[in-house]
Amino acid sequence: QEQIFDVHIAALESDHSVLMAFVDTAPQEEAGQMRSDFVANVSHELRTPLTALTGFIETLRGPARDDAAARARFLNIMAEEAGRMNRLVTDLLSLSRVEDMARMRPTDLVDLDQVIAMVATTLGPAAADRQVELVIQPCDEQPVLVTGDRDQLTQVVTNLTENAIKYGREGGNVRITTRALEQVPAFKGPGVEVSVEDDGDGIDPKHLGRLTERFYRVDTHRSREMGGTGLGLAIVKHIVNRHRGRLRIESAMGQGSTFTVTLPAAAAG
Ligand code: ADP
């Protein structure tokens, strides 16, 4: 009954301006090819900052040895490149841990509105940096409870909110909403939903289906500039799969993006 899950685009529906990609949980196994692509990607991602570091070390040893201003500048760049490697390794470990736990049923009783409140506090400074207002809209009818892994669900909300801050409009709003759903056909029961919506430039619909692939970026330069590793949404996808949930991405150019995670509601009682 247990399956290996991967991204599968179950439906790609167009209603004039908005394309939705339902990132589904259908089993799909191309393990060999995927693994070697992954290793090639990781090597490339690590080599880029490493090459920069090696170059600057040479420069500091030679031409820049007696130039204090150049030394200071190069050391700043080196610190940034080291930081990039550090984030990459952190995200790789995170992804690998999430994959290892794919078959373990999570058992925490998690209130998503509490998770969101915590994430909003943590990301307050990052939002302020881009003059982004975080607008939290909790579900007011009932607590949104799921049986899940609290740390992983925190990571999901964190990654989606971080992206909305990074790729949304500077000076714009990021809206985080929760909803209780009486009946979700895919779950044959009630569900809960978290949406993270930004008012940024949006994403060209042709990219939507691939966003959760490891290292897939719409704009590599922008992602790099924002300190992205290209693994955030891959981590989100794996966590959502472990929770038997669904990820829906809605976006249109010039109209912002909405990332929605739907999870089975915790059983009553
Ligand atoms: P990264 O570390 O590059 O942010 P992610 O896996 O989190 O990696 O996201 C993959 C890509 O999806 C990003 O590089 C960006 O191009 C795109 N993306 C993610 N979230 C948004 C968003 N809210 N608006 C526009 N583009 C987004």
Side-chain angles (χ1 to χ4, degrees):
Q1 188 202 349
E2 296 290 357
Q3 294 163 314
I4 295 172
F5 292 111
D6 223 300
V7 186
H8 171 73
I9 307 309
L12 214 55
E13 288 175 0
S14 170
D15 71 346
H16 308 301
S17 60
V18 180
L19 260 183
M20 299 187 198
F22 293 94
V23 181
D24 203 10
T25 49
Q28 191 181 323
E29 255 288 44
E30 294 165 22
Q33 182 59 38
M34 274 175 56
R35 186 164 309 121
S36 69
D37 287 353
F38 182 58
V39 171
N41 278 328
V42 170
S43 307
H44 174 78
E45 296 286 336
L46 282 170
R47 185 166 277 155
T48 306
L50 204 49
T51 303
L53 282 171
T54 311
F56 284 116
I57 289 169
E58 284 314 306
T59 312
L60 286 173
R61 276 185 171 153
R65 197 165 35 201
D66 302 315
D67 182 343
R71 267 202 328 256
R73 194 154 44 91
F74 293 158
L75 283 170
N76 277 335
I77 303 175
M78 290 169 77
E80 206 167 290
E81 295 297 333
R84 182 183 306 288
M85 293 181 76
N86 196 12
R87 280 194 299 279
L88 183 59
V89 172
T90 302
D91 278 358
L92 283 169
L93 284 173
S94 202
L95 186 60
S96 134
R97 205 159 338 131
V98 171
E99 284 179 325
D100 284 347
M101 293 173 89
R103 285 150 214 278
M104 291 157 68
R105 243 175 220 294
T107 55
D108 304 332
L109 184 62
V110 184
D111 181 333
L112 289 177
D113 284 323
Q114 275 175 13
V115 168
I116 290 165
M118 243 183 58
V119 170
T121 306
T122 312
L123 294 182
D129 271 353
R130 284 181 53 78
Q131 283 98 49
V132 165
E133 188 177 352
L134 295 178
V135 182
I136 313 293
Q137 295 190 312
C139 176
D140 45 19
E141 300 128 47
Q142 60 190 89
V144 278
L145 299 174
V146 299
T147 304
D149 181 313
R150 182 173 285 104
D151 292 342
Q152 290 190 348
L153 293 174
T154 304
Q155 177 143 41
V156 165
V157 178
T158 301
N159 290 4
L160 295 181
T161 308
E162 250 174 356
N163 280 349
I165 293 169
K166 287 193 299 189
Y167 303 111
R169 187 163 60 85
E170 197 162 5
N173 291 321
V174 168
R175 195 175 294 276
I176 312 177
T177 311
T178 53
R179 259 174 247 103
L181 307 172
E182 234 166 72
Q183 181 67 26
V184 180
F187 306 153
K188 298 188 176 74
V192 297
E193 215 168 68
V194 191
S195 294
V196 181
E197 180 186 356
D198 67 63
D199 50 8
D201 293 338
I203 304 163
D204 188 326
K206 71 176 187 227
H207 297 290
L208 293 185
R210 300 195 59 192
L211 287 189
T212 60
E213 286 176 21
R214 297 153 175 180
F215 299 118
Y216 189 87
R217 295 149 165 130
V218 174
D219 179 342
T220 308
H221 181 75
R222 179 92 191 274
S223 162
R224 252 184 95 75
E225 202 175 47
M226 292 293 175
T229 61
L231 293 174
L233 290 177
I235 293 170
V236 165
K237 178 197 74 179
H238 277 88
I239 295 174
V240 171
N241 279 348
R242 181 184 173 209
H243 287 78
R244 305 276 184 262
R246 298 286 184 277
L247 171 65
R248 189 168 82 239
I249 309 174
E250 296 159 73
S251 191
M253 296 302 288
Q255 294 182 34
S257 309
T258 306
F259 289 73
T260 302
V261 172
T262 311
L263 300 166

